[in-house]
Amino acid sequence: MDLGLEGGFEVLEASVNQEVNPEFFEERTRDGWVRLKGTGFETVFANDIFEAAQVAWQHHFSHRSNRVSEYSGMSIVDLVKKAKVENVFPENIDIVTGGFPCQDFSIAGKRKGFDSHKCHKGNLIDINNVATQENRGMLYTWMKEVVRLVKPKVFIAENVKGLITLENVKEVIARDFEGVGGGYFVFAKLLKAMEFGVPQTRERIIFIGLRKDSLRLEANSLLESGCLPIHLDPFPIPTHCNKEAIPKDLKPIVTTGQALAGLKEPGDSVDDLSQYHYSKAKWMGNHCQGQKEIDLDGPGPTIRSEHHGNIEFRRLSAQHGGRYSDELTKGFGERRLTLRECARIQTFPDDFQFVIQNSDGGRGYELNPTNGYKVIGNAVPPLLAYHLAYRLKRIWKDLFE
């Protein structure tokens, strides 16, 4: 989300629709790739309890500029408690973004919703010692507290599609955010990543809040009346289409084959550790999750934050139903997706590293492949976040004084 909000990174040229968004394009960088313009937004504070995420984040953002953004690895619960007694967050923040934990809302998970069996630090709950408000399924309330403390003009919250299929969850979350501070207008929408140039079937619910007392009088009046005119709608419009008859102003969806084009096989990629490493988990049968071969002619699967056995296969053997006989004939064996291939499906640029060796030259890792997979799967596709950011950039002066 942070990378997407800032912009200025490489994506496939096929992922950018210049008919709809001509201002996205900054320059062609190499064959089939372009660099997106910067948005003007700048990340000044970041937080994630997962240590590997901090390693990946700081490694990349330290190379993007000379600035030093503060990063906290504290639990959001502990961070908010600390912020209530001393200064923690920077002042004059325009936007707060967050992806509160999704496991309790995901169709692939236990579906416990607000009644999670885990606490805010990821451990199993001892119901005698942990307050309900601090369980994993309730961590959105702590993002709400960040919004209350920081008072941003805008907040953006992201979660899995499964959240909207649990009874009243979406409405409860939206209503809770509406009452923060002086009040927010809160809008929620399901966005399909492949409709925005992301080569992936990922679908996510996005909540966007606009602080009422910071809005222009006209904008406030319109939104208060229940009207959401096009010029104030904070959600981007689709740029790609997955239908046979494609409207003339849209582009066809980006396929996995397009996303992975130009990558060498892992054994020939020692210069990119994220392409060199891949899960060695064996095929476990069609009845298990993640045992399918990707479709190079269609969008990629939703990249999950999973361990090695649930990562889809780049290529199956003929014995297991593999379809890419031309690759098998050339001697390319059965294997799962590499970290770089997963990152490309998520629209991360190739200079974002997910396997990082120790700086002392030892054989260990600052960020190992297992955790690298989790970091990629937990992320919002940067290109989808970029669409959100640029939409806000376009309507900012219509919204705010």
Side-chain angles (χ1 to χ4, degrees):
M1 183 75 88
D2 297 339
L3 180 60
L5 264 284
E6 291 195 3
F9 58 96
E10 273 193 331
V11 295
L12 282 169
E13 187 169 1
S15 292
V16 179
N17 186 334
Q18 293 192 58
E19 292 289 326
V20 179
N21 297 310
E23 67 274 45
F24 278 20
F25 183 93
E26 181 173 85
E27 62 176 346
R28 282 189 177 83
T29 54
R30 49 187 166 131
D31 187 31
W33 291 80
V34 299
R35 185 178 304 282
L36 299 172
K37 285 183 179 178
T39 62
F41 296 123
E42 179 182 335
T43 309
V44 292
F45 186 93
N47 163 241
D48 198 305
I49 196 173
F50 187 32
E51 185 177 348
Q54 180 171 356
V55 173
W57 193 98
Q58 290 182 321
H59 184 271
H60 185 77
F61 279 83
S62 66
H63 289 84
R64 278 175 65 83
S65 69
N66 293 323
R67 73 175 191 273
V68 178
S69 298
E70 188 170 349
Y71 194 109
S72 171
M74 295 176 67
S75 155
I76 188 66
V77 174
D78 295 335
L79 188 64
V80 167
K81 289 178 178 179
K82 182 178 180 181
K84 289 182 177 181
V85 296
E86 61 182 272
N87 292 331
V88 169
F89 303 117
E91 297 180 350
N92 302 317
I93 299 302
D94 291 305
I95 303 177
V96 165
T97 66
F100 46 92
C102 65
Q103 295 95 325
D104 299 298
F105 305 110
S106 173
I107 292 173
K110 297 181 184 295
R111 305 284 280 165
K112 289 182 176 289
F114 295 141
D115 299 317
S116 178
H117 63 299
K118 291 193 175 183
C119 76
H120 62 99
K121 294 187 178 180
N123 303 316
L124 290 174
I125 287 178
D126 177 349
I127 60 173
N128 296 314
N129 297 326
V130 180
T132 303
Q133 203 69 12
E134 295 181 9
N135 81 51
R136 189 177 62 183
M138 292 294 288
L139 290 189
Y140 83 90
T141 64
W142 296 85
M143 179 179 172
K144 183 185 72 174
E145 286 303 300
V146 174
V147 172
R148 188 190 306 279
L149 290 166
V150 174
K151 301 179 179 63
K153 293 182 175 71
V154 180
F155 72 78
I156 305 171
E158 174 263 358
N159 214 277
V160 292
K161 176 185 177 181
L163 181 145
I164 62 177
T165 63
L166 285 172
E167 185 179 5
N168 297 328
V169 168
K170 185 182 81 169
E171 290 73 19
V172 169
I173 291 174
R175 187 168 60 246
D176 277 359
F177 274 110
E178 285 172 356
V180 175
Y184 282 79
F185 293 111
V186 179
F187 308 93
K189 190 171 185 177
L190 185 71
L191 298 185
K192 298 180 179 180
M194 65 180 174
E195 293 183 348
F196 296 91
V198 179
Q200 186 180 177
T201 56
R202 199 180 199 92
E203 296 179 319
R204 290 295 184 265
I205 183 76
I206 304 292
F207 295 88
I208 297 181
L210 307 175
R211 200 180 86 212
K212 293 181 178 181
D213 62 9
S214 68
L215 291 168
R216 288 181 175 275
L217 182 61
E218 179 187 5
N220 201 319
S221 298
L222 284 169
L223 298 180
E224 198 69 64
S225 70
C227 174
L228 181 59
I230 293 175
H231 74 285
L232 297 181
D233 188 341
F235 292 101
I237 61 172
T239 56
H240 292 67
C241 182
N242 193 29
K243 297 179 180 178
E244 289 186 9
I246 300 174
K248 64 179 182 180
D249 59 333
L250 298 185
K251 296 180 73 170
I253 62 164
V254 181
T255 67
T256 313
Q258 289 174 287
L260 305 187
L263 289 175
K264 300 176 183 177
E265 282 296 296
D268 299 322
S269 304
V270 292
D271 57 332
D272 180 5
L273 292 178
S274 296
Q275 178 63 7
Y276 180 75
H277 288 280
Y278 63 94
S279 166
K280 304 303 191 300
K282 302 299 183 183
W283 185 74
M284 294 181 284
N286 290 322
H287 62 288
C288 298
Q289 186 183 58
Q291 308 311 303
K292 294 182 179 180
E293 182 179 66
I294 60 168
D295 178 9
L296 293 176
D297 297 321
T302 296
I303 301 299
R304 298 181 299 272
S305 176
E306 296 285 359
H307 201 267
H308 295 278
N310 284 339
I311 296 159
E312 275 79 1
F313 279 84
R314 165 62 180 83
R315 183 188 308 111
L316 283 172
S317 65
Q319 176 187 358
H320 295 148
R323 295 166 294 166
Y324 303 119
S325 56
D326 56 331
E327 295 183 350
L328 297 173
T329 300
K330 293 177 182 177
F332 297 151
E334 177 174 288
R335 67 168 176 83
R336 295 179 186 267
L337 289 166
T338 66
L339 286 95
R340 176 63 62 210
E341 288 165 342
C342 290
R344 283 233 182 146
I345 292 171
Q346 280 277 59
T347 65
F348 277 99
D350 286 350
D351 62 350
F352 207 118
Q353 299 302 322
F354 297 97
V355 180
I356 302 171
Q357 287 185 315
N358 283 331
S359 55
D360 61 6
R363 297 185 64 182
Y365 296 102
E366 290 183 47
L367 177 57
N368 64 46
T370 296
N371 284 337
Y373 273 124
K374 292 180 181 179
V375 171
I376 297 168
N378 271 332
V380 175
L383 180 56
L384 181 60
Y386 185 79
H387 277 271
L388 290 164
Y390 226 98
R391 179 59 185 165
L392 285 173
K393 178 182 175 73
R394 282 174 174 159
I395 67 173
W396 196 269
K397 290 183 179 179
D398 292 320
L399 288 171
F400 303 112
E401 297 291 354

